[in-house]
Amino acid sequence: MENKIINLGIFGFGCVGQGLYEVLNRTKGINARIKKICIKDPNKARPIDSSYFTTDKNEILEDPTIDVVVELINETDAAFEIVSTALRNGKAVVSASKRMIAENMASLYQLQSENRVPFLYEASSCASIPIIRNLEEYYDNDLLNAVEGICNGSTNYILTKIFEENLSFETALQQAQDLGFAETDPTLDIEGFDPKFKIVILLLHAFGTFVKPEEVFNFGIHHLNDFDIEFAKSRNCTIKLIGHCRRNNGNVHAFVLPHLVKEHNLLYDVYNEYNGILLESAFTDKQFFVGKGAGGTATGSAVLSDISALLYNYRYEYKKIKQNNQPAFSNDVKLKVYLRYKSPDQVDLTEFFNISEKYESSTYRYVVGTINLQKLKDAQWLKNKDVNLLVLE
Ligand SMILES: NC(=O)c1ccc[n+]([C@@H]2O[C@H](COP(=O)([O-])OP(=O)(O)OC[C@H]3O[C@@H](n4cnc5c(N)ncnc54)[C@H](OP(=O)(O)O)[C@@H]3O)[C@@H](O)[C@H]2O)c1
């Protein structure tokens, strides 16, 4: 595609679509122009000329003059349909839809190989942080031990407002939604599903292992209450929702869980909608990436970087899949946790390997102890709103 103007067909003109439009307009020297934008609601007022818009997806997918399809919609099944049709039609595709990508990773990998077309999705994981391309290109050997971090802008915004400004959970969530950081369905953020989709994508690029989202345990900040917040503050800690994957004796485990984070931890100072990713490798120890993890122009700039990369024929090579020494996915790992509950019948403490601390009061009780990740994933008692979980460092 070098030295030619590429025609873009965009799906979606919401937060990210409009962010891309702004970034594209303000970036000089990129040979790309928007030919058509497909949206869902023909009656919605749009901030740009109506001639751009269509509700007919085939005006993009079947247009031979459109080189690149940019998929930025908020409907998972429709997004997969659009992306797979575009790839089958031989078009390069850029997408930001982490859920769609995480749920269909193996099929999307196959579609790229079969149709020999690039599919780039940097914006899907940590928005503005260029983490996928770094995992692909710089960390292209097997010395990476762990990838972990804050990969959900809206929960980090909420936790920052709770800890730094003493806002209530509800007020902080409303602010995150008003600013466009929260997903259309906020349960995806606050229950930890959105960061899990990103961890599933990062795990593939870090270790070459395909994992289905349902294999990975996620527990968000939806059960957090004032008692937990006081517990964290009493230990000079903050709380962060952390996605984690680590290689361990030929296996790799992953989870998304709220953590107690001490001040010395680099993730402690990642505030508001910012994301932070820590990589750990055999010879370099820790390396830290930080940047905006949500928002229209921040995400749009990652989408633009993918479009620009297509101009020099960049594609993911998935080198770690091809290296054939991928670790197997396993949830068999011990975690040290704080477990808060109201009455003893709400939890099953026999699941713990050991309990090092026990507290009881007229309102809440908690234990600190060690438990297997798979036991937590299977625990029905964690669905009770009176029960909360925090991982200790
Ligand atoms: N917001 C962020 O900060 C962020 C960051 C990283 C990744 N993402 C991902 O980027 C994607 C878009 O997010 P967003 O925040 O921009 O969503 P959004 O503001 O809710 O906008 C969604 C857009 O998709 C359009 N749409 C929905 N279904 C469609 C369909 N079947 N065909 C054509 N258009 C359709 C909507 O059309 P109408 O305008 O007609 O309703 C709307 O323009 C999501 O997958 C999200 O997870 C978002």
Side-chain angles (χ1 to χ4, degrees), residues 211-231:
V211 186
K212 294 199 177 88
E214 56 270 26
E215 294 176 81
V216 177
F217 180 50
N218 60 292
F219 186 84
I221 58 169
H222 52 308
H223 289 186
L224 194 69
N225 71 10
D226 289 346
F227 186 86
D228 308 320
I229 293 163
E230 281 316 309
F231 175 82

Side-chain angles (χ1 to χ4, degrees), residues 157-208:
Y157 182 89
I158 292 166
L159 290 168
T160 302
K161 294 289 162 188
I162 290 173
F163 275 86
E164 302 296 314
E165 296 176 25
N166 293 320
L167 287 197
S168 72
F169 186 92
E170 288 71 24
T171 312
L173 171 62
Q174 189 58 54
Q175 279 191 10
Q177 285 180 307
D178 293 345
L179 290 163
F181 303 147
E183 288 294 315
T184 320
D185 173 4
T187 57
L188 288 178
D189 296 311
I190 62 171
E191 294 189 17
F193 287 94
D194 174 87
K196 174 164 82 169
F197 300 137
K198 296 163 186 170
I199 283 295
V200 164
I201 297 169
L202 295 181
L203 198 143
L204 178 69
H205 289 277
F207 301 111

Side-chain angles (χ1 to χ4, degrees), residues 70-110:
V70 184
E71 182 282 301
L72 308 170
I73 74 170
N74 58 345
E75 288 183 0
T76 307
D77 292 345
F80 180 61
E81 180 64 33
I82 289 161
V83 169
S84 42
T85 308
L87 293 171
R88 280 197 197 94
N89 289 358
K91 295 188 188 300
V93 180
V94 174
S95 170
S97 298
K98 54 257 176 165
R99 180 177 189 168
M100 180 277 291
I101 297 166
E103 287 179 352
N104 298 285
M105 206 54 170
S107 311
L108 291 167
Y109 174 68
Q110 208 177 334

Side-chain angles (χ1 to χ4, degrees), residues 39-57:
I39 38 74
K40 192 171 187 185
D41 181 355
N43 300 317
K44 218 184 242 184
R46 306 288 169 184
I48 60 170
D49 196 87
S50 62
S51 62
Y52 275 113
F53 295 99
T54 179
T55 51
D56 177 4
K57 61 181 188 224

